[in-house]
Amino acid sequence: MAIVTIDHAVPHTSTVPANAGDTVELFVRERRDTSVGTRTPVLMLHGRSVPVLAGFDLQHQSYSWAEALAKAGYDVFMMDLQGSGRSPRPKMDDPHNVNPAQQPLLTPRPPGFVPGPPSYPFQLTNSNSDRDELNAVVDFIRAECGVEKVAFVGWSAAAFTMGPYAVKNPTKVSSLFLLAPIFPPLGTSNAPAALPLQGFPTFIGGKTGFDQGWKAEAPCEGQRAPGIVDVAWDAIMANDPIGSTWGPPTGFNRIRNFVRWGWNNTTAAQGGVLGGSVPVLMVYGEYDKQVNTSPPNTNPELNFSVPALYDAVAGSHKLMVKLACAGHSVVWEMQHKNVHNLSKHWLKHLKVDGKTHGVFDMDTNGDLSPVP
């Protein structure tokens, strides 16, 4: 077995308003076993705040999900959308484009920085630009591997991009594995009347908040291995050469501010695609407070529910698994190997426990039990 790592720069004509029309290069990393003759591609997409390599290819012990899939014979591709990781981050290098409420945190770095209004007073990316970039990479993979369809694996807010894309492009997508999918059942269907929307391009997040937010979803003994917070944070910083030089010595994670629409009860059911020609598996942790807002948020755009997504998917080939002792950051938790194994089984059989429909619980040993 020879697992190789190949970094691709996929050319794309940007539709992000800040650099619309420019030819950009989207970062895509490929991991595959060159001894496997048939190339069966899987595309992995990050969520809102964690770059794709830190989430899916963490080079620490057994945490690399991409490597686990590559060892199972899959040709694994991982992409960063613009505004994240190693893809272009238009307007985000200027600290004045950080959320004005967060700019006072940028001390003592950059040296001499004085908070002020955004130099680009708009939100950065949007649902259209994200789906355009996903399409560019999907077409690149299809040509590279000589296939018609690509399997999708997405974490968190990746659902906003991969879900609607699969609905519109079922001839290009073989299946969906959505880990901790963000889904607002009553979210808006339509784009704003005018883009870009006013605002600012960048949020920032620090290591302390990262640790405390994760800790609040990790009550089980051993759910987070000793030192894993440092390992995960260092991986995030390794994919942010500018943010890592801002603020305290631990740096800040720069998070793109994006405008989203088109992912709700109506669109998830559209044409019966999801759960029909595109089978769907949804997986989430029992302590994940981000995907299941409780109590419900009064703003429908911020009221999320994985069970509501399961109910909204119109086709019958749909499954949902709740993971014991897991939070939103399950890719770095005790259940990570069980998630790897579940995804390998799904990609091969498109079933869970021999079934193509139903709701299940998974314990920390990886054992499944159907929910009555």
Side-chain angles (χ1 to χ4, degrees), residues 18-185:
N19 61 353
D22 291 353
T23 298
V24 299
E25 293 182 336
L26 302 174
F27 174 81
V28 177
R29 173 163 291 178
E30 180 183 5
R31 302 290 306 278
R32 69 183 177 99
D33 180 356
T34 55
S35 67
V36 176
T38 302
R39 298 176 69 175
T40 305
V42 176
L43 176 57
M44 308 184 88
L45 180 64
H46 60 84
R48 171 178 173 267
S49 62
V50 177
V52 74
L53 298 186
F56 291 126
D57 199 21
L58 187 68
Q59 294 300 300
H60 180 71
Q61 298 178 2
S62 59
Y63 288 93
S64 174
W65 190 354
E67 188 168 303
L69 292 179
K71 288 180 177 178
Y74 294 98
D75 195 347
V76 183
F77 295 83
M78 297 164 277
M79 71 172 290
D80 278 320
L81 295 165
Q82 286 197 83
S84 183
R86 302 188 183 194
S87 283
R89 299 195 191 210
K91 308 299 182 182
M92 293 178 69
D93 291 355
D94 182 352
H96 283 113
N97 284 330
V98 169
N99 179 356
Q102 293 183 308
Q103 288 185 26
L105 299 174
L106 294 174
T107 180
R109 306 179 300 172
F113 171 70
V114 178
S119 58
Y120 181 78
F122 302 99
Q123 298 183 46
L124 189 62
T125 63
N126 57 64
S127 291
N128 281 345
S129 65
D130 285 354
R131 292 168 202 163
D132 290 342
E133 291 170 19
L134 177 62
N135 186 63
V137 173
V138 167
D139 283 348
F140 166 79
I141 294 170
R142 292 168 69 229
E144 177 76 11
C145 297
V147 298
E148 291 298 318
K149 294 187 176 185
V150 179
F152 281 1
V153 173
W155 178 23
S156 187
F160 280 111
T161 306
M162 285 183 152
Y165 180 87
V167 169
K168 296 292 187 181
N169 299 274
T171 60
K172 296 183 180 182
V173 183
S174 59
S175 65
L176 271 177
F177 183 110
L178 297 177
L179 178 67
I182 304 293
F183 179 74

Side-chain angles (χ1 to χ4, degrees), residues 243-296:
S244 61
T245 68
W246 284 358
T250 51
F252 278 112
N253 181 24
R254 292 179 299 158
I255 303 165
R256 66 198 180 103
N257 190 3
F258 71 104
V259 185
R260 54 178 173 79
W261 63 85
W263 183 230
N264 53 34
N265 282 335
T266 300
T267 54
Q270 189 174 341
V273 172
L274 299 186
S277 59
V278 181
V280 182
L281 171 58
M282 301 149 244
V283 182
Y284 69 99
E286 67 169 319
Y287 295 116
D288 190 337
K289 300 176 182 179
Q290 298 182 51
V291 298
N292 294 309
T293 47
S294 182

Side-chain angles (χ1 to χ4, degrees), residues 74 174-177 278-283 310 316-321 338-360 362 366 368:
Y74 294 98
S174 59
S175 65
L176 271 177
F177 183 110
V278 181
V280 182
L281 171 58
M282 301 149 244
V283 182
Y310 180 83
S316 61
H317 197 158
K318 60 178 182 177
L319 298 123
M320 183 169 66
V321 176
N338 289 331
V339 171
H340 299 176
N341 291 334
L342 182 61
S343 67
K344 286 186 283 188
H345 186 85
W346 168 254
L347 290 168
K348 184 175 181 179
H349 302 289
L350 295 178
K351 295 180 180 180
V352 170
D353 202 27
K355 299 180 177 62
T356 59
H357 182 94
V359 179
F360 298 82
M362 176 180 279
L368 288 157

